[in-house]
Amino acid sequence: MSRRGRFAIGASIVSFVFVATVAATPGSPFSPALPAAAQPSGPFRWLSGVVGVDAVHGNAFAAVGVVAVALAAAAFVFVLYETWRGEIPPRHVLWLAVAYHVALLFIPLLFSRDVYSYAYYGRIAAVYHSNPYVATPADYPQDALAAFVGPKWFDTPAVYGPLWRQASALVARAVDEVAQFIAVFRVIAIAASLATIAVVARIVRRERPHREAFAVAILGLNPVVLFQSVASGHNDLLVALSIASALALVYARRNLLATAVLALGTLVKVTAVVPLLLLVLVAVARAPARERWRVLAAHGGVALAIALLAAAPFLNTTDPTLGLFELATHEGWLAPSRLFHRLFDALGGETLELIPRIAFPLVFVAAIVAIGRRVVDGVMETARIGAAWGWGLLCLTLLGPVLLPWYVTWTLPLAWLLPFVPRIVLIGTSLGLILSQWTAEPATFASAYDANLLFGHYVLTPILIALLVWLLVDLWARVRDGAPLEDTPHEVPAPTGKH
């Protein structure tokens, strides 16, 4: 490892320990509501007492948290740059990623209350024997989880896929303590994240070995993955695993099995439908003309059969879309579309406000059509297929009505295939989302929470809009000029640092 590489790794370790120490301090700005059994403990809690972090309170404590996440973002950029230059061997990045994931077991739940919703919907199905796509937590207010589930979701039916609902019901049958729910969902997230890293590392080692360290680092050393996705126990890591596994199967020429895996991912969270549709499109386009209907029926039949098996226990007439209609009514505070909704509403009321509500979905559909046409018009290499998935997921992330930090995990397994512009847009989006959350609970850090919202609305969202425009312009240019969607391999210079 070069001197610069060692320094980058050291900066990453220091920043990880800093964020983990702030996170493990009682009353941390990073902590959502926690049950007594899940309060901070362990080595990072001890360290916060040794260095005096637990003596800081109020807005000063929130400021320490902001410094911690800012340093984590800076260290992440540094280590990514050094891995791209080949200054850090892949094995060092891989082992450090594993160490970080293990260390996450010693810090409490961070940033999000979503695990409580996972558990509540699981209990609605497993304990109360109701349909979570019809019933809501408000129908069972006596449950112990009622004190912890996010207020926004207390009277909202489930919006996650039926496969995840079945998994949540299994967890609800196995455990019944709030702290146990947190532990189980976080272990699932850690296992999914490590499995995704392992799958991606194996693919890249075989296909583009000079990019292995970068591909592992953008997943395994990424603060938005570690602290805002894994430590929060989000099911988006399972979606990322399904995408990485499907890509491995496509490289192995097992497209039908890849369709099945992406169908499973879609049944956890509907976002995996983007690579699923693009994969089926490629499979049909590759087939001889007389075989295309048969290929379409095979792939569609596999996906439909899996969907029916997972959804059968929850089918109903009240919400036949199983949460999709409910999900479409939500709007995220960081999403570029939200800023345009507010702007047009201020200019002309509800009439003009409809323009971005229509325009953003249309732009997304146009982008997916352009990506699909480009991927089947040229040589249909596997790298191009994977890159097309990355383009589509990145467009979905930035054009969708909700943008949350853990959403970036969908595209990260494909980052090593993306050319310069979408790769930088993905990294820039990751950095913005790392910096997007300073405090988890408005009641605890009211002033800091308000400042966090203002920073998100008027600093981060405009930056994300600029990244989105850059992405769409580059996509249009590539489609117009017939340029490849994937990063083209080239000769990589030897590391230049001192050894």
Side-chain angles (χ1 to χ4, degrees), residues 258-282:
T259 293
V261 170
L262 286 175
L264 292 173
T266 302
L267 292 167
V268 172
K269 212 163 195 175
V270 71
T271 48
V273 76
V274 171
L276 175 60
L277 290 175
L278 290 171
L279 175 60
V280 174
L281 174 66
V282 169

Side-chain angles (χ1 to χ4, degrees), residues 66 107 142 176 240 244 298 302 334 355 363 402 467 485 488:
V66 173
I107 63 175
Q142 75 282 3
D176 55 9
V302 166
L334 281 175
I355 294 175
V363 171
V402 180
L467 291 173
L485 295 176
T488 52

Side-chain angles (χ1 to χ4, degrees), residues 23-80:
T25 303
S28 170
F30 301 160
S31 295
L34 296 172
Q39 293 296 320
S41 62
F44 293 109
R45 169 66 187 94
W46 169 83
L47 184 60
S48 74
V50 170
V51 300
V53 176
D54 60 354
V56 185
H57 303 285
N59 289 335
F61 196 6
V64 171
V66 173
V67 172
V69 296
L71 290 178
F76 174 59
V77 172
F78 188 17
V79 80
L80 269 190

Side-chain angles (χ1 to χ4, degrees), residues 15 52 54 63 71-72 100 122 161 258 296 308 350 364 396 427 442 460 490:
S15 69
D54 60 354
L71 290 178
Y100 284 173
L296 178 61
L308 288 176
E350 293 184 0
F364 173 68
L396 174 62
I427 293 171
L460 288 183
H490 56 276

Side-chain angles (χ1 to χ4, degrees), residues 63 75 122 225 253 283 330 343 346 351 428 465 486 494:
V225 174
R253 307 296 181 187
H330 290 265
L343 177 62
T351 302
I465 290 171
E486 72 277 16

Side-chain angles (χ1 to χ4, degrees), residues 118-314:
Y118 299 163
Y120 221 136
Y121 294 130
R123 285 180 61 79
I124 289 174
V127 177
Y128 300 114
H129 307 292
S130 295
N131 190 334
Y133 293 104
V134 177
T136 72
D139 295 319
Y140 307 97
Q142 75 282 3
D143 195 282
L145 288 161
F148 300 99
V149 72
K152 179 180 179 180
W153 300 100
F154 191 67
D155 59 353
T156 302
V159 295
Y160 306 105
L163 185 61
W164 183 243
R165 290 281 60 81
Q166 295 211 30
S168 300
L170 288 175
V171 173
R173 292 186 182 98
V175 300
D176 55 9
E177 297 291 334
V178 177
Q180 292 174 335
F181 283 119
I182 294 173
V184 171
F185 286 119
R186 276 162 42 103
V187 167
I188 292 173
I190 289 172
S193 183
L194 288 174
T196 303
I197 292 168
V199 172
V200 169
R202 184 174 180 181
I203 300 171
V204 184
R205 189 180 305 131
R206 183 178 63 245
E207 301 297 330
R208 297 187 185 181
H210 61 285
R211 290 291 173 247
E212 183 184 352
F214 171 82
V216 173
I218 200 169
L219 274 166
L221 308 187
N222 193 333
V224 80
V225 174
L226 293 167
F227 297 111
Q228 292 162 302
S229 304
V230 177
S232 299
H234 279 102
N235 59 13
D236 300 81
L237 280 311
L238 289 171
V239 177
L241 177 58
S242 73
I243 292 167
S245 302
L247 181 64
L249 290 167
V250 172
Y251 268 107
R253 307 296 181 187
R254 304 181 71 178
N255 286 2
L256 196 59
L257 191 54
T259 293
V261 170
L262 286 175
L264 292 173
T266 302
L267 292 167
V268 172
K269 212 163 195 175
V270 71
T271 48
V273 76
V274 171
L276 175 60
L277 290 175
L278 290 171
L279 175 60
V280 174
L281 174 66
V282 169
V284 172
R286 275 181 170 176
R290 63 180 180 278
E291 296 289 325
R292 286 177 180 172
W293 283 108
R294 184 187 63 80
V295 172
L296 178 61
H299 285 266
V302 166
L304 182 61
I306 293 172
L308 288 176
L309 285 173
F314 306 114

